[in-house]
Amino acid sequence: MQKLILYIFSNHKDFAIEIDNNSKEAELRYIELISIFWNITAKGIELVPIIQMNDEIRTKYNTFVKKYTKEVPRLNRLKSSLDQIKNDEFFFTSNKSSHTPKEILFIGNLIDVHNTTNDDKERAKLFQKKLETQDDFFDNLLAKYNIKVFDTSSKISIGEPNRKNRICRFCKMGEKDGKKFKKKAHAFSEALGNKTIVLNEECDDCNEKFGSNIEKDFIQYLDVYRVFFKVKGKNSIPKLKFNNNAVVSNVEKKDIPENNLEILDDTENLMVVVSQNIEHNKETGDLTVLLESNNKLKEVNIYKTLCKYALSVIDSNELQHFEKTIDWINTNNEQEINLPKIAHLIANHMYVDTPMLSLYIRKDNDYTHPYVVAEFKFKSLIFVYILPFSSKDMQNFIENEKYNLFWKTFKHYDSVKDWVFNNFSDTKEKKYQFRMRMVNNNTNKTE
Ligand SMILES: [Zn+2]
């Protein structure tokens, strides 16, 4: 099913709305929405991406939001996002399903130059300058790294097709050693929505082992996101129960009992219901809730799973440089080893429908930069991490100074605000705490 999407980018908060294109009515409503910003003529839609706010637009969106807000409460966020844009200020609209980091930089620059000066010549000059700097970012990065993207929208089988000749990437054994390759091994867990990228070189034993330990912990960690973004896996959408009587689930409004429950978020038909441990910030209207999982997990397994995903898709010639990494993934976490931080971010404008993994593989011998950096995208969530213990690295990137030096080269990340850097070295099994902050006016934030 094709989705109808509208993105608003501005110097304030970005906003995205998605409508299922499942009826004539939905389509008409979408047209009504976009006609606030774009011209609808007999010839079709005249898309005007960069727009200046004025009273006419304001009246139109207020009328639209008022008309449909009961049915679609999320429209209140559209309103508050547009309310922040002052009259005569420029903003950007788009109906693309997702945007690359390069496009986002481009859009940001475009909004900036429009809001800096009214003089067209000045604007062109300024924009040219910004583009050059932007290209420098990518030129520098591309001079240093090869980039490979693995997108689950197409079918790929990685590694040796013939079972008899397969050697498992993780235990280094094949059929001769009594290993079997009968099961379909998914390069990234099927539960996250990957049906298409399959790894031939993972034996049934390793598949089973990873599925029941490290990947299980990672999926549990992502469960909250799975509920939010309705990711379908082998089983249906999970319902989460937390220790403090909090339940997060995909429920309809009518299913919610009225006693002492607070509705934190109500996107179209998804609710987050929480009964306890709510902090309410009276000034901002933000709500913070602490959810503690009933199940225990090891944080290090989150890092291990991310590395396992990367090593599942990487070219087999590269595996020789990651023998220690594979050993580490296979250990039972007997001892805690300091690991580099993992950067993560929730970015609605970089939303992907199915998981995506990108690998940056260093071309030169500049040891101030990690040999392999990976980016894993799951819905609106992005993880950027170093593959540790590579024989092609001379240092471990744990010290802030050294980590920051590498991070600065990845300007397309560095230029985006709101990254969270977390340490996932902990090998102890513990109940996982998830702090969720519901921002009063805009997108959900978690930290
Ligand atoms: Zn194996």
Side-chain angles (χ1 to χ4, degrees):
M1 188 172 46
Q2 197 208 330
K3 299 250 189 213
L4 302 168
I5 292 169
L6 177 74
Y7 281 98
I8 310 270
F9 294 96
S10 73
N11 281 342
H12 313 280
K13 269 279 176 185
D14 300 338
F15 173 84
I17 193 158
E18 215 182 83
I19 298 169
D20 284 339
N21 190 6
N22 54 7
S23 65
K24 192 79 202 150
E25 203 194 348
E27 202 188 326
L28 286 173
R29 193 183 297 172
Y30 178 71
I31 291 172
E32 196 180 335
L33 170 65
I34 59 174
S35 65
I36 297 172
F37 308 102
W38 303 334
N39 300 325
I40 315 275
T41 65
K43 282 184 193 156
I45 300 166
E46 193 193 324
L47 206 149
V48 198
I50 187 114
I51 300 170
Q52 207 168 6
M53 180 59 84
N54 58 38
D55 284 335
E56 194 190 329
I57 295 174
R58 234 185 265 290
T59 314
K60 281 188 188 167
Y61 77 71
N62 277 318
T63 312
F64 182 85
V65 171
K66 213 169 167 188
K67 193 165 156 193
Y68 295 113
T69 190
K70 261 211 164 128
E71 260 172 276
V72 190
R74 199 178 150 69
L75 288 176
N76 283 321
R77 295 192 192 163
L78 169 70
K79 180 177 154 46
S80 62
S81 170
L82 290 166
D83 281 350
Q84 288 176 28
I85 306 170
K86 296 185 194 76
N87 273 8
D88 297 332
E89 190 181 324
F90 285 92
F91 61 102
F92 190 93
T93 54
S94 158
N95 61 347
K96 276 187 64 171
S97 60
S98 80
H99 300 82
T100 64
K102 203 167 182 171
E103 286 166 341
I104 287 160
L105 270 178
F106 186 93
I107 293 168
N109 286 335
L110 201 65
I111 298 172
D112 276 353
V113 297
H114 275 78
N115 285 327
T116 309
T117 166
N118 282 325
D119 183 297
D120 273 346
K121 269 190 190 157
E122 273 295 303
R123 259 182 203 160
K125 236 165 82 187
L126 203 63
F127 193 64
Q128 189 55 37
K129 214 171 153 190
K130 288 205 176 231
L131 276 191
E132 278 163 18
T133 343
Q134 176 181 318
D135 283 343
D136 281 353
F137 289 176
F138 286 95
D139 288 349
N140 285 342
L141 186 66
L142 291 173
K144 198 169 271 309
Y145 283 96
N146 281 317
I147 304 177
K148 284 194 170 179
V149 180
F150 300 87
D151 179 347
T152 46
S153 62
S154 48
K155 274 205 161 91
I156 317 171
S157 289
I158 293 163
E160 175 61 47
N162 187 342
R163 281 204 181 112
K164 284 199 169 56
N165 301 330
R166 287 182 192 170
I167 299 291
C168 173
R169 290 188 170 199
F170 304 101
C171 65
K172 313 269 162 54
M173 289 191 268
E175 285 199 344
K176 286 193 292 289
D177 313 291
K179 294 290 171 187
K180 292 196 173 65
F181 295 86
K182 291 213 166 104
K183 289 183 197 147
K184 204 186 232 187
H186 291 89
F188 331 132
S189 314
E190 195 186 3
L192 303 182
N194 170 35
K195 303 250 180 238
T196 52
I197 305 189
V198 170
L199 172 62
N200 292 330
E201 296 162 351
E202 181 176 340
C203 75
D204 294 353
D205 289 345
C206 287
N207 185 10
E208 172 132 12
K209 188 181 88 182
F210 293 137
S212 62
N213 63 44
I214 60 168
E215 290 183 38
K216 198 181 105 221
D217 281 2
F218 184 58
I219 289 162
Q220 201 188 317
Y221 172 76
L222 290 179
D223 262 349
V224 174
Y225 299 102
R226 296 175 65 210
V227 174
F228 263 98
F229 299 109
K230 303 178 200 170
V231 188
K232 294 191 176 73
K234 249 184 201 156
N235 306 310
S236 59
I237 297 153
K239 184 170 184 168
L240 302 179
K241 281 200 174 145
F242 290 88
N243 254 352
N244 41 6
N245 292 332
V247 180
V248 176
S249 107
N250 183 15
V251 289
E252 303 281 339
K253 207 174 206 154
K254 60 180 170 48
D255 298 328
I256 300 168
E258 277 172 23
N259 49 359
N260 195 26
L261 292 173
E262 206 156 327
I263 297 165
L264 289 187
D265 183 49
D266 50 353
T267 50
E268 276 132 282
N269 49 19
L270 168 75
M271 304 259 175
V272 176
V273 185
V274 172
S275 59
Q276 285 179 20
N277 288 23
I278 304 169
E279 285 166 36
H280 192 188
N281 185 327
K282 290 221 168 69
E283 255 166 54
T284 60
D286 293 359
L287 294 166
T288 306
V289 60
L290 188 70
L291 302 172
E292 192 183 61
S293 166
N294 269 323
N295 302 324
K296 289 180 176 176
L297 65 81
K298 293 175 184 168
E299 282 180 348
V300 71
N301 285 347
I302 292 160
Y303 207 143
K304 284 185 171 184
T305 304
L306 286 166
C307 290
K308 192 248 157 189
Y309 290 169
L311 293 172
S312 294
V313 293
I314 205 166
D315 192 279
S316 49
N317 292 327
E318 298 288 348
L319 291 169
Q320 55 179 313
H321 308 304
F322 292 97
E323 291 198 356
K324 277 192 180 160
T325 321
I326 292 168
D327 286 348
W328 164 73
I329 293 173
N330 280 321
T331 60
N332 275 326
N333 309 317
E334 293 85 4
Q335 68 182 97
E336 185 166 321
I337 307 165
N338 247 339
L339 300 164
K341 288 167 287 189
I342 294 183
H344 56 109
L345 172 75
I346 296 176
N348 286 327
H349 49 272
M350 290 193 227
Y351 178 88
V352 286
D353 223 16
T354 51
M356 201 166 131
L357 193 136
S358 308
L359 291 176
Y360 298 86
I361 303 172
R362 201 185 61 216
K363 298 184 207 174
D364 56 18
N365 283 333
D366 173 4
Y367 297 119
T368 61
H369 285 69
Y371 182 55
V372 173
V373 175
E375 174 204 283
F376 183 69
K377 276 193 193 171
F378 171 70
K379 302 288 158 178
S380 299
L381 190 63
I382 307 172
F383 296 90
V384 176
Y385 53 103
I386 295 169
L387 287 196
F389 315 118
S390 169
S391 61
K392 291 276 227 177
D393 281 326
M394 306 287 267
Q395 53 151 324
N396 56 22
F397 302 95
I398 287 162
E399 281 168 53
N400 281 339
E401 216 174 287
K402 297 198 165 142
Y403 185 93
N404 292 343
L405 185 75
F406 119 75
W407 185 253
K408 288 262 176 286
T409 304
F410 287 69
K411 284 270 167 36
H412 56 303
Y413 297 139
D414 193 36
S415 62
V416 180
K417 296 159 284 183
D418 302 332
W419 284 96
V420 178
F421 298 89
N422 273 352
N423 185 338
F424 287 93
S425 305
D426 197 341
T427 56
K428 285 183 294 296
E429 197 167 54
K430 61 182 188 193
K431 285 183 178 173
Y432 187 70
Q433 286 194 338
F434 190 93
R435 186 180 290 277
M436 195 162 16
R437 188 156 64 94
M438 301 289 176
V439 179
N440 188 24
N441 52 12
N442 259 290
T443 43
N444 301 326
K445 268 210 162 168
T446 36
E447 47 191 33

